[in-house]
DNA sequence: TCTTGAGTCTGCATTTACTACAGACCCTAT
DNA sequence: ATAGGGTCTGTAGTAAATGCAGACTCAAGA
């Protein structure tokens, strides 16, 4: 029963804890409009339910996959819009996949240079350091 | 003689053009103290020389290799301090190399998930999109 | 000589995606 | 009753630039 959310719902900190999201980030996502404004208690405390947990997990998962907020917003629009077209989602995913692959390639080049640079270096006290030479050239 | 900088030096836009750096970024690097304050003309225009070109190239190259500004500052301190120890530089490079490798590994995992997700998707108009399912799960 | 257009100067605002306060409430347990 | 947590709001700060407004300067053409 640990996972079940009853009628009383969750407080902000509980939602944060359940999703692993930072406490303040929840409020931020509400502010920028990717999380809905939740109902409030009489005294103004936010109350979250199952659907908020799902939505926040969706957002966090997308974030982990490197989507920008605008990218996530686009994905959510599709979800919210009830669009039946999978094609758009696929296209966005594939475009993002290309970005990720490009980034991997860039980092691969950087790795090569760094590794070569570090390897050249004896680590001894010498007047000219090959790392600095490489960077400066 | 295109590359030679005479006594008259370069204007900011010329330095930007030679190094491929954004015009405003030069001023920013001066402000945060990684580029020196250059001499000025009587009317207050900055004047740059060979040494400024070298230093900016060093900074940009380090940036391309993914060093943060603080990382670059550290490298420059070593250069400016005239420290004869190559060991420190090597250590920083290797630490950074480890970071880069970790980032590549992360992106590799993301790539796997994205590729698998996109592959599952037919692109047709179906009520449930596997990409959204994956993200939402 | 005057004007026009391009370049420069300064400081400030904007960007992305959060994170962290401060100061005021609220709620529960002792 | 009070102590401690939690929550609320709005605002400020972070990295690393980038962009802009409004004033100034400079060189070339009419």
């Amino acid at each position: 029963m640990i996972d079940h959310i009853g009628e009383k719902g969750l407080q902000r900190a509980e939602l944060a804890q359940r999703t692993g999201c930072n406490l303040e980030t929840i409020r931020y996502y509400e502010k920028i409009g990717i999380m809905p404004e939740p109902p409030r208690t009489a005294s103004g405390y936010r109350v979250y339910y199952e659907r908020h947990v799902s939505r926040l997990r969706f957002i966090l998962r997308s974030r982990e996959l490197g989507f920008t907020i605008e990218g996530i917003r686009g994905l959510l629009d599709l979800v919210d819009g009830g669009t039946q077209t999978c094609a758009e989602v696929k296209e966005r995913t594939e475009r993002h996949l290309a970005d990720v692959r490009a980034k991997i390639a860039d980092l691969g080049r950087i790795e090569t240079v760094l590794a070569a640079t570090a390897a050249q270096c004896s680590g001894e006290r010498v007047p000219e350091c090959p790392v600095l030479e490489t960077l400066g050239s």
Side-chain angles (χ1 to χ4, degrees), chain A residues 1-2 4 19-20 23 34 37 40 42 45 48 69 75-77 98 108-109 113 133:
Chain A
M1 290 299 170
I2 286 167
H4 185 66
T19 56
L23 183 67
I34 63 176
E37 290 183 24
R40 305 275 187 135
Y45 281 25
Y48 296 102
I69 289 293
L75 253 17
L76 289 169
D77 282 352
R109 276 189 289 278
V113 176
E133 296 288 299

PDB file of all heavy atoms in Angstrom, chain A residues 1-2 4 19-20 23 34 37 40 42 45 48 69 75-77 98 108-109 113 133:
ATOM      1  N   MET A   1       0.816  -1.214   0.000  1.00  0.00           N
ATOM      2  CA  MET A   1       0.000   0.000   0.000  1.00  0.00           C
ATOM      3  C   MET A   1       0.848   1.261   0.000  1.00  0.00           C
ATOM      4  O   MET A   1       0.347   2.374   0.018  1.00  0.00           O
ATOM      5  CB  MET A   1      -0.933   0.027   1.233  1.00  0.00           C
ATOM      6  CG  MET A   1      -2.053  -1.007   1.154  1.00  0.00           C
ATOM      7  SD  MET A   1      -3.131  -0.740  -0.247  1.00  0.00           S
ATOM      8  CE  MET A   1      -4.089  -2.260  -0.221  1.00  0.00           C
ATOM      9  N   ILE A   2       2.141   1.048   0.003  1.00  0.00           N
ATOM     10  CA  ILE A   2       3.044   2.193   0.035  1.00  0.00           C
ATOM     11  C   ILE A   2       2.862   3.092  -1.184  1.00  0.00           C
ATOM     12  O   ILE A   2       2.947   4.312  -1.093  1.00  0.00           O
ATOM     13  CB  ILE A   2       4.517   1.709   0.130  1.00  0.00           C
ATOM     14  CG1 ILE A   2       4.776   1.190   1.545  1.00  0.00           C
ATOM     15  CG2 ILE A   2       5.491   2.822  -0.208  1.00  0.00           C
ATOM     16  CD1 ILE A   2       6.044   0.420   1.733  1.00  0.00           C
ATOM     17  N   HIS A   4       0.127   3.364  -3.116  1.00  0.00           N
ATOM     18  CA  HIS A   4      -1.208   3.850  -3.377  1.00  0.00           C
ATOM     19  C   HIS A   4      -1.432   5.252  -2.826  1.00  0.00           C
ATOM     20  O   HIS A   4      -1.050   5.578  -1.715  1.00  0.00           O
ATOM     21  CB  HIS A   4      -2.237   2.890  -2.775  1.00  0.00           C
ATOM     22  CG  HIS A   4      -3.628   3.291  -3.119  1.00  0.00           C
ATOM     23  ND1 HIS A   4      -4.096   3.250  -4.405  1.00  0.00           N
ATOM     24  CD2 HIS A   4      -4.631   3.765  -2.361  1.00  0.00           C
ATOM     25  CE1 HIS A   4      -5.340   3.685  -4.407  1.00  0.00           C
ATOM     26  NE2 HIS A   4      -5.692   4.016  -3.177  1.00  0.00           N
ATOM     27  N   THR A  19       9.176  10.811  -6.884  1.00  0.00           N
ATOM     28  CA  THR A  19       9.671  10.897  -8.258  1.00  0.00           C
ATOM     29  C   THR A  19      11.169  11.150  -8.327  1.00  0.00           C
ATOM     30  O   THR A  19      11.771  11.023  -9.387  1.00  0.00           O
ATOM     31  CB  THR A  19       8.977  12.063  -8.983  1.00  0.00           C
ATOM     32  OG1 THR A  19       9.186  13.264  -8.232  1.00  0.00           O
ATOM     33  CG2 THR A  19       7.486  11.823  -9.125  1.00  0.00           C
ATOM     34  N   GLY A  20      11.740  11.531  -7.189  1.00  0.00           N
ATOM     35  CA  GLY A  20      13.163  11.870  -7.196  1.00  0.00           C
ATOM     36  C   GLY A  20      13.420  13.259  -7.730  1.00  0.00           C
ATOM     37  O   GLY A  20      14.556  13.636  -8.010  1.00  0.00           O
ATOM     38  N   LEU A  23      12.448  19.479  -4.992  1.00  0.00           N
ATOM     39  CA  LEU A  23      11.253  20.118  -4.465  1.00  0.00           C
ATOM     40  C   LEU A  23      10.861  21.383  -5.222  1.00  0.00           C
ATOM     41  O   LEU A  23       9.697  21.564  -5.613  1.00  0.00           O
ATOM     42  CB  LEU A  23      11.519  20.474  -2.997  1.00  0.00           C
ATOM     43  CG  LEU A  23      10.388  21.088  -2.193  1.00  0.00           C
ATOM     44  CD1 LEU A  23       9.274  20.085  -2.000  1.00  0.00           C
ATOM     45  CD2 LEU A  23      10.905  21.577  -0.849  1.00  0.00           C
ATOM     46  N   ILE A  34       4.247  23.125 -17.635  1.00  0.00           N
ATOM     47  CA  ILE A  34       4.276  21.731 -18.082  1.00  0.00           C
ATOM     48  C   ILE A  34       3.703  20.782 -17.022  1.00  0.00           C
ATOM     49  O   ILE A  34       3.406  19.631 -17.314  1.00  0.00           O
ATOM     50  CB  ILE A  34       5.673  21.260 -18.568  1.00  0.00           C
ATOM     51  CG1 ILE A  34       6.718  21.305 -17.465  1.00  0.00           C
ATOM     52  CG2 ILE A  34       6.116  22.074 -19.783  1.00  0.00           C
ATOM     53  CD1 ILE A  34       8.072  20.749 -17.912  1.00  0.00           C
ATOM     54  N   GLU A  37      -1.673  23.136 -12.601  1.00  0.00           N
ATOM     55  CA  GLU A  37      -1.885  23.681 -11.263  1.00  0.00           C
ATOM     56  C   GLU A  37      -2.728  22.680 -10.498  1.00  0.00           C
ATOM     57  O   GLU A  37      -3.836  22.346 -10.922  1.00  0.00           O
ATOM     58  CB  GLU A  37      -2.629  25.017 -11.343  1.00  0.00           C
ATOM     59  CG  GLU A  37      -1.785  26.126 -11.933  1.00  0.00           C
ATOM     60  CD  GLU A  37      -2.513  27.471 -11.947  1.00  0.00           C
ATOM     61  OE1 GLU A  37      -3.443  27.644 -11.130  1.00  0.00           O
ATOM     62  OE2 GLU A  37      -2.160  28.323 -12.769  1.00  0.00           O
ATOM     63  N   ARG A  40      -5.854  22.742  -4.273  1.00  0.00           N
ATOM     64  CA  ARG A  40      -5.231  23.207  -3.037  1.00  0.00           C
ATOM     65  C   ARG A  40      -6.117  22.865  -1.850  1.00  0.00           C
ATOM     66  O   ARG A  40      -7.332  22.743  -1.979  1.00  0.00           O
ATOM     67  CB  ARG A  40      -5.089  24.739  -3.070  1.00  0.00           C
ATOM     68  CG  ARG A  40      -4.351  25.301  -4.252  1.00  0.00           C
ATOM     69  CD  ARG A  40      -2.872  25.289  -4.024  1.00  0.00           C
ATOM     70  NE  ARG A  40      -2.168  25.969  -5.093  1.00  0.00           N
ATOM     71  CZ  ARG A  40      -1.182  26.838  -4.886  1.00  0.00           C
ATOM     72  NH1 ARG A  40      -0.811  27.160  -3.663  1.00  0.00           N
ATOM     73  NH2 ARG A  40      -0.553  27.393  -5.906  1.00  0.00           N
ATOM     74  N   ALA A  42      -7.703  24.045   1.882  1.00  0.00           N
ATOM     75  CA  ALA A  42      -8.302  25.310   2.305  1.00  0.00           C
ATOM     76  C   ALA A  42      -7.225  26.348   2.633  1.00  0.00           C
ATOM     77  O   ALA A  42      -7.382  27.538   2.371  1.00  0.00           O
ATOM     78  CB  ALA A  42      -9.192  25.079   3.520  1.00  0.00           C
ATOM     79  N   TYR A  45      -2.291  24.744   0.499  1.00  0.00           N
ATOM     80  CA  TYR A  45      -1.264  23.745   0.188  1.00  0.00           C
ATOM     81  C   TYR A  45      -1.654  23.000  -1.086  1.00  0.00           C
ATOM     82  O   TYR A  45      -2.806  22.610  -1.272  1.00  0.00           O
ATOM     83  CB  TYR A  45      -1.133  22.735   1.324  1.00  0.00           C
ATOM     84  CG  TYR A  45      -0.345  23.205   2.525  1.00  0.00           C
ATOM     85  CD1 TYR A  45      -0.230  24.554   2.833  1.00  0.00           C
ATOM     86  CD2 TYR A  45       0.293  22.291   3.356  1.00  0.00           C
ATOM     87  CE1 TYR A  45       0.484  24.981   3.938  1.00  0.00           C
ATOM     88  CE2 TYR A  45       1.012  22.710   4.471  1.00  0.00           C
ATOM     89  CZ  TYR A  45       1.100  24.056   4.759  1.00  0.00           C
ATOM     90  OH  TYR A  45       1.808  24.465   5.847  1.00  0.00           O
ATOM     91  N   TYR A  48      -1.412  16.707  -4.596  1.00  0.00           N
ATOM     92  CA  TYR A  48      -1.116  15.946  -5.808  1.00  0.00           C
ATOM     93  C   TYR A  48      -1.707  14.542  -5.754  1.00  0.00           C
ATOM     94  O   TYR A  48      -1.793  13.926  -4.689  1.00  0.00           O
ATOM     95  CB  TYR A  48       0.396  15.843  -5.988  1.00  0.00           C
ATOM     96  CG  TYR A  48       1.058  17.181  -6.219  1.00  0.00           C
ATOM     97  CD1 TYR A  48       1.742  17.820  -5.191  1.00  0.00           C
ATOM     98  CD2 TYR A  48       0.996  17.808  -7.462  1.00  0.00           C
ATOM     99  CE1 TYR A  48       2.350  19.050  -5.393  1.00  0.00           C
ATOM    100  CE2 TYR A  48       1.597  19.040  -7.674  1.00  0.00           C
ATOM    101  CZ  TYR A  48       2.274  19.657  -6.639  1.00  0.00           C
ATOM    102  OH  TYR A  48       2.870  20.872  -6.835  1.00  0.00           O
ATOM    103  N   ILE A  69      13.316  21.395 -22.468  1.00  0.00           N
ATOM    104  CA  ILE A  69      11.980  21.693 -21.960  1.00  0.00           C
ATOM    105  C   ILE A  69      11.020  21.916 -23.127  1.00  0.00           C
ATOM    106  O   ILE A  69       9.895  21.419 -23.109  1.00  0.00           O
ATOM    107  CB  ILE A  69      12.014  22.935 -21.040  1.00  0.00           C
ATOM    108  CG1 ILE A  69      12.711  22.603 -19.721  1.00  0.00           C
ATOM    109  CG2 ILE A  69      10.599  23.446 -20.765  1.00  0.00           C
ATOM    110  CD1 ILE A  69      11.986  21.626 -18.830  1.00  0.00           C
ATOM    111  N   LEU A  75       6.166  17.129 -26.703  1.00  0.00           N
ATOM    112  CA  LEU A  75       5.710  15.769 -26.452  1.00  0.00           C
ATOM    113  C   LEU A  75       4.413  15.792 -25.643  1.00  0.00           C
ATOM    114  O   LEU A  75       3.448  15.081 -25.946  1.00  0.00           O
ATOM    115  CB  LEU A  75       6.787  15.030 -25.654  1.00  0.00           C
ATOM    116  CG  LEU A  75       7.668  13.951 -26.297  1.00  0.00           C
ATOM    117  CD1 LEU A  75       7.669  13.984 -27.806  1.00  0.00           C
ATOM    118  CD2 LEU A  75       9.073  13.974 -25.744  1.00  0.00           C
ATOM    119  N   LEU A  76       4.373  16.639 -24.637  1.00  0.00           N
ATOM    120  CA  LEU A  76       3.195  16.723 -23.777  1.00  0.00           C
ATOM    121  C   LEU A  76       1.986  17.278 -24.532  1.00  0.00           C
ATOM    122  O   LEU A  76       0.860  16.848 -24.302  1.00  0.00           O
ATOM    123  CB  LEU A  76       3.503  17.584 -22.552  1.00  0.00           C
ATOM    124  CG  LEU A  76       4.447  16.955 -21.522  1.00  0.00           C
ATOM    125  CD1 LEU A  76       4.888  17.985 -20.499  1.00  0.00           C
ATOM    126  CD2 LEU A  76       3.803  15.765 -20.835  1.00  0.00           C
ATOM    127  N   ASP A  77       2.238  18.217 -25.417  1.00  0.00           N
ATOM    128  CA  ASP A  77       1.153  18.760 -26.235  1.00  0.00           C
ATOM    129  C   ASP A  77       0.493  17.636 -27.022  1.00  0.00           C
ATOM    130  O   ASP A  77      -0.726  17.565 -27.139  1.00  0.00           O
ATOM    131  CB  ASP A  77       1.687  19.790 -27.232  1.00  0.00           C
ATOM    132  CG  ASP A  77       1.952  21.127 -26.563  1.00  0.00           C
ATOM    133  OD1 ASP A  77       1.588  21.293 -25.381  1.00  0.00           O
ATOM    134  OD2 ASP A  77       2.547  22.007 -27.209  1.00  0.00           O
ATOM    135  N   ALA A  98      19.242  11.824 -33.628  1.00  0.00           N
ATOM    136  CA  ALA A  98      20.326  12.340 -34.480  1.00  0.00           C
ATOM    137  C   ALA A  98      21.185  13.334 -33.706  1.00  0.00           C
ATOM    138  O   ALA A  98      22.421  13.320 -33.801  1.00  0.00           O
ATOM    139  CB  ALA A  98      19.735  12.991 -35.729  1.00  0.00           C
ATOM    140  N   GLY A 108      33.539  12.133 -28.834  1.00  0.00           N
ATOM    141  CA  GLY A 108      34.535  11.131 -29.238  1.00  0.00           C
ATOM    142  C   GLY A 108      35.798  11.791 -29.764  1.00  0.00           C
ATOM    143  O   GLY A 108      36.915  11.399 -29.419  1.00  0.00           O
ATOM    144  N   ARG A 109      35.610  12.850 -30.548  1.00  0.00           N
ATOM    145  CA  ARG A 109      36.766  13.588 -31.068  1.00  0.00           C
ATOM    146  C   ARG A 109      37.535  14.263 -29.933  1.00  0.00           C
ATOM    147  O   ARG A 109      38.755  14.241 -29.897  1.00  0.00           O
ATOM    148  CB  ARG A 109      36.303  14.627 -32.092  1.00  0.00           C
ATOM    149  CG  ARG A 109      36.129  14.048 -33.490  1.00  0.00           C
ATOM    150  CD  ARG A 109      35.897  15.149 -34.513  1.00  0.00           C
ATOM    151  NE  ARG A 109      34.581  15.764 -34.360  1.00  0.00           N
ATOM    152  CZ  ARG A 109      33.452  15.265 -34.857  1.00  0.00           C
ATOM    153  NH1 ARG A 109      33.466  14.145 -35.540  1.00  0.00           N
ATOM    154  NH2 ARG A 109      32.314  15.891 -34.683  1.00  0.00           N
ATOM    155  N   VAL A 113      41.563  13.686 -28.648  1.00  0.00           N
ATOM    156  CA  VAL A 113      42.559  14.736 -28.451  1.00  0.00           C
ATOM    157  C   VAL A 113      43.071  14.761 -27.014  1.00  0.00           C
ATOM    158  O   VAL A 113      44.277  14.833 -26.770  1.00  0.00           O
ATOM    159  CB  VAL A 113      41.977  16.133 -28.814  1.00  0.00           C
ATOM    160  CG1 VAL A 113      42.981  17.219 -28.515  1.00  0.00           C
ATOM    161  CG2 VAL A 113      41.569  16.163 -30.269  1.00  0.00           C
ATOM    162  N   GLU A 133      51.015  23.207 -24.908  1.00  0.00           N
ATOM    163  CA  GLU A 133      51.411  23.398 -26.301  1.00  0.00           C
ATOM    164  C   GLU A 133      50.247  23.086 -27.234  1.00  0.00           C
ATOM    165  O   GLU A 133      49.942  23.833 -28.155  1.00  0.00           O
ATOM    166  CB  GLU A 133      52.569  22.463 -26.664  1.00  0.00           C
ATOM    167  CG  GLU A 133      53.854  22.706 -25.931  1.00  0.00           C
ATOM    168  CD  GLU A 133      54.533  23.980 -26.385  1.00  0.00           C
ATOM    169  OE1 GLU A 133      54.886  24.078 -27.565  1.00  0.00           O
ATOM    170  OE2 GLU A 133      54.696  24.897 -25.542  1.00  0.00           O
TER     171      GLU A 133
END
